[in-house]
Amino acid sequence: MAKVRVTFSDGKVKEYPKGVALADVVRDAGAPEALVAKVDGELRDLSTKLDRDAQVDSVTFEQPEGRQVYWHSSAHLLAQAVKELFPEAKLAIGPPIDDGFYYDIDIGRPFAPEDLEHIEARMRELSKRDEPIERVEIPRDEAIRKYTEAGEKYKLELLQEIPDARVSFYRQDGFLDMCRGPHVPRTGLIKAVKLLSTSGAYWRGDEHREMLSRIYGISFPRQEQLDAYLHQLEEAKRRDHRRIGRELRLFAFADELGQGLPLWLPRGAVVRRILEDYIVDVESKRGYHHVYAPDLASVQLYKISGHWDYFRENMYPPMKVDNEELVLKPMNCPHHIMIYKHEQHSYRDLPVRIAELGRMYRYEKSGTLTGLHRVRSMTLNDAHIFCRPDQVKQEFAAVIELMREVYRDFAIVDYRTELSLHDPKDRQYYHQDEELWMTAEGLLHQVLDELKLPYTPVVGGANFYGPKVDVQVRTAGGKEETLSTVQLDFLLPRRFELEYIGEDGKAHRPVMIHRAILSTMERMMAFLIEHYAGDFPVWLAPEQVRLLPIADRHLEYAQEVRDRLAGHGRRVELDTSNERIGYKIRHPQLEHVPYMLVVGDKEASSGQVAVRSRSSGDLGPMPVEAFIERIAQEVTTRR
RNA sequence: GCCGGCGUAGCUCAGUGGUAGAGCAGCGCACUCGUAAUGCGCAGGUCAUCGGUUCGAGUCCGAUCGCCGGCUCCA
């Protein structure tokens, strides 16, 4: 009998009869938990028969690839449940996502919350039936006939684009779904399921096409894992900057004021001013020059820059005054370009780094606005570097270094870097000079590689004027968004005919780097609130110290201490209420004030304060001077 | 902008067609207290807005506005 040689990931080699099922191989290898297996690096169903020598690795739920397969199979189970409950439903697509899975379905009406419960219950039943999930290959024309008869128009559309003569399907019980696979071997493996939400989703992501109903769900092999996941979701909600922002009185919105237009309340404004002072200071040390530009500009400026052609749908419409047409500025770059152009530059002057905490107004679709993450009025920590072509790499590297310094100060470690490139197939969103794109994108690839910065390329993510490097962070809601961005631009210098005088006495064209490190003040604030879960470190805390006198007779001493701390620049408040100390502590504790100072008879007579920390509780008494020193130390080290 | 859900006191939420409620916060009074809620009292509402059905609407219907979750888009 013919044999096949299997090499396992630990290097062991074993022989099996030719045609052995992968399920038997992985079981033999001591991996009964395997959901699928990799054969020479490619994911395969466990039912696959092995007919050649190969490297075989078992894949379980613990591995990201295993999860994806598991959730993909869960999406099929969801579809099966929906089809049983709503036979007229038309299925679209049902992929796994980072956290779970979804399926886009058309049942001619939206799903109601009760529908979800019924579907979820049906999924549990289907899991209990524990049917095998089998791969079947069907000739293409037969598949087309099946789907035409069934009226599955979305599947049919997908099928039209598959060139192969045979198309793979997966069958569980009577349910059949076109799918590339692979899948877990049995429905019974999908044990703990929760359908989380429904929403509308455009067919193929195109807002001009049908609106389908999407059901999101999550699943795990064990109930405890699902419970833990749901608990974690609840915990994340507690970090939500909208909730903490309201509770800590940092910012607010008012219906009367308009959508997406945040108000910075006094305590939030304190944090913002610290951030602004901080970044201006850091940038100044690195050769940036800070400027101010008006919020309004002639539409003419944006016609030259190209924003009018490529960015108009995000701009507020122009207002006519006298013989001018003015718009609210949606970006700062043209203004900084005007500043660059205001004087002549020698090659010796470059790079010129023009920075601004630039307030911008963008018309964002109403449905996209969320808290401070996405607003219509925002202030960007913006800068534009005008440099010679031979300086691009070093300037780019300097920006990345600056970013790393800033991230250290805020203890930001959890982020991902993307290289956003233009999509040659989608020309209308990008400037038309393909050669410029090649130059700019090639340069960015090179710079990132030299900096050893790992990144994910994103085709179609570029701005109209050039490619960019985006730093992605996660919100409490689990969504990714851009914090820092560095963009390379050969286009605007050309459109504005920017020049510098070279060594040869002739005019040359500079290159622009657009960059934002702290993002917008709004988004940074949202990020920091969630990052710290409201526990701002002392240097950022809107209120650093709350003074808590034990009784009325200690008010005078408390005031004295308050004044001394304020004299050292501390942000300090005094609780003058007639309450007992436990109650007085509760409030600053809930408001995330880092230090509480309790003063009573003992402290007043000895010139001390009893220090309580928000995080570690009672620290005992110490001289006022010692506390002042301690907190000053924390502020300078930004702890 | 599109799909769905939601909108009752500053906040969290009860209230299934028949006289608008609770807790916390706020204000007043008393207690002067040692590390996360002292007690008593008082106030607080065009039930998002507008229209409709009904003898009667917080409750049912419609529109508008806003918020939330997605889609699309993006700092």
Side-chain angles (χ1 to χ4, degrees), chain A residues 533-580:
Chain A
D535 282 340
F536 287 105
V538 177
W539 73 286
L540 286 171
E543 180 184 346
Q544 298 169 317
V545 182
R546 179 84 53 95
L547 267 163
L548 311 172
I550 298 279
D552 286 351
R553 65 175 179 281
H554 308 119
L555 264 174
E556 202 183 326
Y557 176 66
Q559 250 148 23
E560 211 177 282
V561 176
R562 199 249 324 253
D563 293 348
R564 280 181 71 186
L565 287 167
H568 281 85
R570 294 288 73 88
R571 297 182 288 276
V572 52
E573 302 287 336
L574 172 60
D575 186 341
T576 57
S577 68
N578 279 342
E579 291 291 345
R580 48 196 62 194

Side-chain angles (χ1 to χ4, degrees), chain A residues 455-470:
Chain A
Y455 60 90
T456 322
V458 179
V459 173
N463 282 338
F464 76 84
Y465 49 76
K468 55 180 182 158
V469 173
D470 286 334

Side-chain angles (χ1 to χ4, degrees), chain A residues 104 197-201 211-216:
Chain A
D104 283 347
S197 61
T198 61
S199 80
M211 175 67 79
L212 307 170
S213 294
R214 175 172 299 179
I215 300 179
Y216 283 93

Side-chain angles (χ1 to χ4, degrees), chain A residues 190-243:
Chain A
I190 298 159
K191 289 224 163 63
V193 183
K194 179 80 188 165
L195 298 183
L196 297 165
S197 61
T198 61
S199 80
Y202 302 109
W203 170 230
R204 315 214 102 177
D206 183 342
E207 61 183 318
H208 304 294
R209 302 206 55 181
E210 295 91 329
M211 175 67 79
L212 307 170
S213 294
R214 175 172 299 179
I215 300 179
Y216 283 93
I218 183 85
S219 59
F220 292 94
R222 297 201 313 276
Q223 185 63 35
E224 310 89 79
Q225 291 169 306
L226 175 61
D227 293 341
Y229 176 80
L230 295 175
H231 179 72
Q232 186 197 318
L233 277 189
E234 286 302 309
E235 282 300 300
K237 261 194 215 156
R238 299 162 58 81
R239 291 176 96 93
D240 192 313
H241 78 283
R242 288 166 295 192
R243 171 198 173 97

Side-chain angles (χ1 to χ4, degrees), chain A residues 76 113 154 176 178 182 258 273 298 318 399 401 466 539 558 576 598 617 634:
Chain A
H76 274 229
Y154 305 105
L176 199 63
M178 179 172 75
R273 198 169 311 109
S298 164
V399 169
E401 197 191 315
W539 73 286
T576 57
V598 177
E634 287 183 22

Side-chain angles (χ1 to χ4, degrees), chain A residues 128-240:
Chain A
K128 279 215 188 77
R129 277 194 234 156
D130 197 14
E131 297 283 345
I133 302 175
E134 298 163 312
R135 182 187 174 97
V136 283
E137 290 195 359
I138 296 178
R140 206 181 105 104
D141 49 354
E142 191 189 327
I144 291 179
R145 191 170 43 77
K146 262 181 187 300
Y147 273 154
T148 308
E149 277 168 20
E152 290 275 9
K153 60 174 185 167
Y154 305 105
K155 291 293 185 189
L156 206 51
E157 189 176 324
L158 295 173
L159 191 50
Q160 307 289 358
E161 289 162 23
I162 300 175
D164 310 4
R166 293 176 75 79
V167 185
S168 69
F169 281 70
Y170 278 79
R171 178 168 55 209
Q172 56 207 46
D173 215 348
F175 174 71
L176 199 63
D177 196 2
M178 179 172 75
C179 183
R180 189 177 291 126
H183 280 282
V184 304
R186 298 190 326 276
T187 58
L189 289 167
I190 298 159
K191 289 224 163 63
V193 183
K194 179 80 188 165
L195 298 183
L196 297 165
S197 61
T198 61
S199 80
Y202 302 109
W203 170 230
R204 315 214 102 177
D206 183 342
E207 61 183 318
H208 304 294
R209 302 206 55 181
E210 295 91 329
M211 175 67 79
L212 307 170
S213 294
R214 175 172 299 179
I215 300 179
Y216 283 93
I218 183 85
S219 59
F220 292 94
R222 297 201 313 276
Q223 185 63 35
E224 310 89 79
Q225 291 169 306
L226 175 61
D227 293 341
Y229 176 80
L230 295 175
H231 179 72
Q232 186 197 318
L233 277 189
E234 286 302 309
E235 282 300 300
K237 261 194 215 156
R238 299 162 58 81
R239 291 176 96 93
D240 192 313

